[in-house]
Amino acid sequence: MGRGATVSLKRVVITGRGAVSPYGLGVDSLVDGVWANRSAVRRMPEWERIRGLGSYLAAPVPDFDAKSLLPRAQRRTMGPMSVYSAIASKEAVADAAIDDEMLTSGRVGVAIGSTTGSPTAYEDFYRRFLPDEAIEEIRSGEFFKIMGHTCSANVCLALGIEGEQWSPVSACTSASQSIGLGFLLIQAGRQEAMLCGGADEVHSSVTGVFDVVRAASCRNDTPTATPKPFDRDRDGVVCGGGSGVLVLESYDSAMARGAKIYAEILGFGHVNDSTHIANPHESSMARAMGNALADAGVASGEVDYVNAHATGTELGDVAEATAIGMAVGNTTPVSSFKGHFGHTLGAAGSLETVVLLEMLERQEVIPTLNLENPDPRCSDVQLIRNIEKRKLSVVVKNSFALGGVNVAFVMRRV
Amino acid sequence: MMSDEALCQQVVKTLAEEFELDPQKMTPEATLYDDLGLDSLDAVDMVVALEKEFGMKLTDEQALRSIRTIDDLFKFLISIKNQ
């Protein structure tokens, strides 16, 4: 390409959805659980023995038989999060009706991130390794469950994908970064389609991280009434597990295949606040949303709904509400899905987008479960209290992470 | 001491569990790689599983590498047992 040549960016759409969530396997169980306003949070009595841990709450993926879904040769290198990713990816590919020829052509890639490799596999390894510093009896597959790119590597292997393989690893923004990356790669013409999303699994050490910084909910006796995003009586995060995977595809490819299009991704904003490793920063959140809107060429007044990251922490919820007020305005409907299925961390951005796409399909807004008494400091936004019919065209999805990461993207119904 | 036959039965049981194999297909002439679908990572795990099951150390790398069939494995383990 010569100097000064203009690059024509491709339009990017979403043509497939897959989910393994705290409600079970499949998009249908996720959507059914959310529309029934059912909490997927439960008490974890086995955590009560852990000294110092105050939160015995989680939204784990219910037990299922992975043996019937994935052959041993694939499962041997998969911790739970990779199993979830592979199942969600297969569902997304089937939903998009991408055939094997396209899937294995090298024109399809993968971007699936997680907070870390599998914490369950870490525990297995160190239970064996630490007592007498021995690696005897460690199976060959253990490393592949622990490595940072375990989900994307195992998905490529399980589905025969030979395109680009990425693993954005940024805790709670992993999935949204992956969606943003897939958007950029398809826009640039490097890949025709990308499987994008994230995964994570429930583990006491993960909840423990939030408990250490006093950000975990400790309402152990009322599991289904917490977390309470935007509520004045919120007391913190409840961690969940699962994987959400979306098929992102060039508009041209989707049209040529006659694929169903759930939405078009119009813009992506991604900034670091460079202020504090843990504390949210409202103007940086607003900057991420502003950048996404500018990238999309959409005015703030055109936004019909914002799906908040809001996890149920005092600092985070108030900062985000303020930021939405700054970047989008105070009349746009806002809700968070954390009250339904907790904070699925690396999977949150994609699992929540699966639900958001269903909202676009149904033209209905899902309220924040467990929101009873809105915090007056969150009054900069229009908090939705019931399932409402609304005209939904342009929507914004927010994701924020420890480490100062602020991500937002803009989608439009096609 | 365990009989050779009992050892062979135990080998089949151990590997069938470890690698989710059908014991019916684990005939003496079955090859580990082609017929049973194992690979180099599985070979590592096979040694770990057998060491744990029989409480023996399998350190002869050259002999291990020459094992092709279930029968080769039987003979190798029987020779160690009888040492």
Side-chain angles (χ1 to χ4, degrees), chain A residues 72-73 75-78 125 135-147, chain B residues 18-19 39-49:
Chain A
R72 183 201 65 90
R75 272 184 289 112
R76 67 179 173 171
T77 54
M78 292 180 175
F125 178 87
I135 63 160
E136 293 161 328
E137 298 181 23
I138 302 283
R139 294 297 196 269
S140 63
E142 290 308 296
F143 166 73
F144 304 99
K145 302 174 184 176
I146 288 170
M147 62 189 190
Chain B
E18 177 76 18
F19 300 116
D39 66 7
S40 58
L41 289 181
D42 294 325
V44 174
D45 291 346
M46 181 177 75
V47 171
V48 172

Side-chain angles (χ1 to χ4, degrees), chain A residues 255-315:
Chain A
M255 290 302 285
R257 294 193 309 111
K260 173 182 170 62
I261 295 173
Y262 288 99
E264 179 172 7
I265 301 181
L266 299 176
F268 175 56
H270 182 198
V271 304
N272 196 282
D273 64 42
S274 193
T275 303
H276 194 281
I277 196 75
N279 292 349
H281 191 251
E282 58 206 34
S283 64
S284 296
M285 292 171 163
R287 198 156 52 92
M289 285 180 261
N291 287 358
L293 290 168
D295 191 29
V298 165
S300 58
E302 296 176 66
V303 177
D304 297 312
Y305 168 80
V306 178
N307 184 248
H309 179 73
T311 61
T313 66
E314 182 177 2
L315 287 179

